[in-house]
């Protein structure tokens, strides 16, 4: 069992399972951030939501550790798979194109490792900006009171951050790459865990791409909207 998990098929399964874990987080995180589109109307609700998550304490830390373990497993298996491919085919093919028919080679599938690297950098910058950014040490300027409870004013930080065109640009590019990464990842993860059905596989392929688009678009719209609509906040 141990040996088979380390094999290339085993690695793909681990990569898919860790990918599903992060996909679940991404859907929840994207939906949790959509209320920001309501701008100032969402201040208290957004801060209260984030405060509720933080007040979960040990449970939140546990979920964060599980997610971190999933991310590390995903990166580790990706490195293993790329190395394995290089060993198997040291000289690159001249032309990369879809083999046609049932082949699913796309821009997304060929650029997984590159989009993945950019997304990894994005996540590190993103967590530093928000989770460990202004207000994380209880600074007064980033404190708000909702229903008599003092909490971090994360809404203010998000609004301020997305007034910076460099950050919004970086964000927008990262979200396009997220869409590209997921457009291949979701469908491919089902394949890797052995799901195949002549009727449902094509549905899953299209469904995976639609879901990838919705997730990326849901994240993309928030910073762009705040940048253009939030100048006077
Ligand atoms: C509209 C886009 C996004 C907004 C406004 C946003 C906002 C935030 C905020 C405010 C936090 C800090 C939460 C807190 O400290 O309580 C956070 C955490 C986080 N975000 Fe995002 N995020 C966005 C997109 C993304 C994307 C695309 C990813 C992954 C590819 C991501 C991954 C994370 C992770 C892993 C955390 C840390 C969660 C934790 O440790 O509890 N976010 N995000």
């Amino acid at each position: 069992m141990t040996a088979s998990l380390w094999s290339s098929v085993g690695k793909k399964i681990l990569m898919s399972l860790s990918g599903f874990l992060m996909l679940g987080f991404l859907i929840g995180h994207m939906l949790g951030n959509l209320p920001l589109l309501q701008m100032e109307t969402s201040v208290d609700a957004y801060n209260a939501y984030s405060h509720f998550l933080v007040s979960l304490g040990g449970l939140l830390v546990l979920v964060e550790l599980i997610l971190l373990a999933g991310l590390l497993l995903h990166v580790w298996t990706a490195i293993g798979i790329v190395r394995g491919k290089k060993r198997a085919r040291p000289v690159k093919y001249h032309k990369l194109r879809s083999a046609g028919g049932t082949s699913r080679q796309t821009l997304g599938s060929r650029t997984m490792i590159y989009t993945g690297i950019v997304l990894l950098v994005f996540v590190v910058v993103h967590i530093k900006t928000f989770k460990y950014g202004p207000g994380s040490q209880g600074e007064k300027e980033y404190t708000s009171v909702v229903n008599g409870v003092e909490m971090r004013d994360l809404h203010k930080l998000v609004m301020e951050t997305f007034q910076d065109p460099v950050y919004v640009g970086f964000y927008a590019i990262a979200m396009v790459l997220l869409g590209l990464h997921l457009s291949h990842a979701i469908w491919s993860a089902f394949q890797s865990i052995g799901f195949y059905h002549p009727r449902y596989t094509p549905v899953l392929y299209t469904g995976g791409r639609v879901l990838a688009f919705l997730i990326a678009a849901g994240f993309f719209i928030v910073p762009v909207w705040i940048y253009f609509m939030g100048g006077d906040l």
Side-chain angles (χ1 to χ4, degrees), residues 25-26 29 33 46 64 122 126 131 154 171 175 219 222:
F25 166 79
L26 276 182
H29 195 48
N33 280 313
Y46 190 74
E64 287 173 345
F122 166 82
H126 178 64
K131 193 172 169 67
L154 206 51
Y171 222 87
M175 293 313 99
F219 277 127
V222 171

Side-chain angles (χ1 to χ4, degrees), residues 69-161:
L71 178 67
L72 294 177
L73 191 62
H74 204 74
V75 171
W76 176 74
T77 48
I79 294 171
I81 289 169
V82 168
R83 279 185 161 176
K85 271 189 192 162
K86 280 217 170 118
R87 236 176 280 131
R89 192 209 311 149
V91 182
K92 275 189 169 182
Y93 287 141
H94 281 306
K95 270 193 180 170
L96 289 166
R97 63 176 168 215
S98 173
T102 53
S103 166
R104 298 291 191 191
Q105 257 216 46
T106 57
L107 180 64
S109 73
R110 291 196 299 266
T111 52
M112 288 307 273
I113 189 69
Y114 308 110
T115 50
I117 291 169
V118 178
L119 289 171
L120 194 58
V121 173
F122 166 82
V123 168
V124 173
V125 173
H126 178 64
I127 292 182
K128 189 174 175 297
T129 308
F130 290 126
K131 193 172 169 67
Y132 299 107
S136 56
Q137 303 301 316
E139 298 92 316
K140 272 273 164 256
E141 318 89 88
Y142 289 93
T143 302
S144 161
V145 177
V146 182
N147 297 329
V149 181
E150 199 179 88
M151 58 187 68
R152 186 179 177 194
D153 195 347
L154 206 51
H155 189 279
K156 180 180 172 184
L157 177 62
V158 174
M159 292 293 151
E160 281 179 359
T161 305

Side-chain angles (χ1 to χ4, degrees), residues 23-34:
L23 182 67
F25 166 79
L26 276 182
I27 294 172
H29 195 48
M30 187 271 286
L31 294 175
N33 280 313
L34 278 185

